[in-house]
Amino acid sequence: IKKWQARAREEAQKHSRHELKKAVQNTTPTDEEARALYELYAEHESDIREWCKNALAKAQGEDAPPVGLEDVMAEAYILTQRSLVRFEPEEAGLRTYLQHDLRGRIRDYLSSMSEERRERSETKQENRSAIAPGFDLAAVYSGLVDEGKVPAEAADLYNRLHPGDQ
């Protein structure tokens, strides 16, 4: 992969450090290089799978990204290519390098997915609560209760579900 790596590094020089994705996208490997990249990935697949599993396990909860292990593994192939652009065999072994660099990229990927999910959820919440600008649902409801237009059972249920609106 050295020829591909050299071309990708040259392309990376045109972009900032955080735009390495563009360098990889703009550097199409030859068939032989693609095969070598895949073989490297396959050689470390069990470690990569474990790193992906661990990252997903840590990302569980309310903010968990809406992806499964196979989705993360598919993205990990691309992230591995991005990691390999900067890999220097003289500095560390490939597994050690991937363990450090790729694990971080996987965490960043899941974090960005969680952030996107959170933003979409917040947008939905905002859209749901914005019936009309300046419309105060609690005040309108309270007025209807005061006027006797809301049955007592409905008022009790509303008060149990919205204790802060009383």
Side-chain angles (χ1 to χ4, degrees):
I1 66 166
K2 288 185 186 220
K3 288 180 183 179
W4 171 83
Q5 197 177 31
R7 289 194 321 274
R9 283 182 182 158
E10 185 178 312
E11 180 67 26
Q13 296 301 319
K14 299 175 188 174
H15 304 283
S16 73
R17 182 181 179 281
H18 297 290
E19 291 181 319
L20 190 56
K21 182 178 185 177
K22 288 180 185 175
V24 171
Q25 289 172 337
N26 294 340
T27 310
T28 305
T30 65
D31 289 345
E32 186 178 317
E33 291 165 340
R35 195 171 14 267
L37 285 166
Y38 181 76
E39 286 173 6
L40 277 176
Y41 179 81
E43 183 179 322
H44 295 277
E45 188 270 340
S46 63
D47 288 327
I48 293 169
R49 179 174 294 277
E50 198 59 37
W51 300 331
C52 289
K53 275 188 197 176
N54 290 340
L56 269 172
K58 288 179 182 176
Q60 295 304 312
E62 197 171 299
D63 289 336
V67 295
L69 179 59
E70 293 309 314
D71 296 322
V72 180
M73 288 294 293
E75 184 67 20
Y77 179 73
I78 297 163
L79 296 174
T80 300
Q81 284 185 315
R82 288 166 55 188
S83 289
L84 289 171
V85 172
R86 303 258 191 246
F87 173 62
E88 294 286 348
E90 305 80 38
E91 294 178 17
L94 182 56
R95 183 186 184 283
T96 302
Y97 178 79
L98 288 176
Q99 184 174 16
H100 173 74
D101 192 66
L102 184 57
R103 281 175 46 186
R105 289 181 189 278
I106 292 167
R107 281 192 308 271
D108 292 347
Y109 168 72
L110 292 174
S111 177
S112 72
M113 294 292 290
S114 295
E115 185 63 32
E116 287 174 23
R117 181 180 191 161
R118 190 172 25 260
E119 288 171 4
R120 281 193 307 270
S121 175
E122 288 170 1
T123 301
K124 284 180 184 177
Q125 292 294 340
E126 289 171 11
N127 290 343
R128 232 183 265 143
S129 64
I131 294 172
F135 189 79
D136 185 354
L137 181 60
V140 171
Y141 177 78
S142 181
L144 291 172
V145 169
D146 292 344
E147 294 172 16
K149 295 183 178 177
V150 176
E153 297 84 14
D156 288 341
L157 177 61
Y158 181 87
N159 291 334
R160 281 185 286 174
L161 294 173
H162 302 92
D165 289 349
Q166 297 178 18

